Amino acid sequence: MYKDLLPVGSIVLLKGGDKRLMICGRVCCPAGSEVIYDYSACFYPQGIIDSDHMYFFNKDDIERVFFIGFQDEEEMLFRQNVLNQLGKLKVVDGRMVRDEE
């Protein structure tokens, strides 16, 4: 489900957007939300300014990929051992947990 996600550091433009974003997190849930998103991101090139300028979106929201982030052995192992094994997730009491349905 999450195996095809872009690595951290990737630069994208969202559909209908006019400002590029840099991916800084994957498989995340904003505080106080029950929605799990594929990505969190910040403005590029500014970086993380504050929590009000973090953006959450899914891979289907991406219009264009400008740059694919750094990929080394550690990234490949993370994908293989974590992202590929996550399965379906849900939020329970503010925490992401596996959906065993």
Side-chain angles (χ1 to χ4, degrees):
M1 179 171 205
Y2 296 107
K3 66 181 178 174
D4 297 326
L5 294 181
L6 293 165
V8 169
S10 297
I11 309 297
V12 300
L13 181 68
L14 300 183
K15 294 174 183 172
D18 59 359
K19 182 77 175 136
R20 290 181 288 177
L21 299 174
M22 180 175 64
I23 293 171
C24 55
R26 297 176 283 190
V27 189
C28 41
C29 179
S33 173
E34 295 203 6
V35 178
I36 298 171
Y37 293 93
D38 293 336
Y39 301 107
S40 63
C42 57
F43 283 135
Y44 175 82
Q46 292 87 344
I48 298 172
I49 299 168
D50 58 39
S51 60
D52 291 334
H53 292 92
M54 291 296 296
Y55 302 92
F56 298 88
F57 58 94
N58 292 313
K59 58 185 171 185
D60 294 339
D61 299 322
I62 297 172
E63 180 175 308
R64 182 173 175 194
V65 176
F66 287 89
F67 176 78
I68 296 176
F70 184 68
Q71 298 180 79
D72 64 357
E73 185 176 322
E74 189 173 4
E75 166 66 15
M76 298 306 177
L77 287 172
F78 180 77
R79 282 187 186 185
Q80 181 180 1
N81 295 330
V82 178
L83 294 179
N84 291 350
Q85 305 300 319
L86 283 179
K88 189 169 181 178
L89 301 172
K90 64 182 178 180
V91 178
V92 176
D93 296 328
R95 294 180 42 231
M96 283 192 291
V97 297
R98 281 187 172 203
D99 189 352
E100 301 297 335
E101 291 181 18

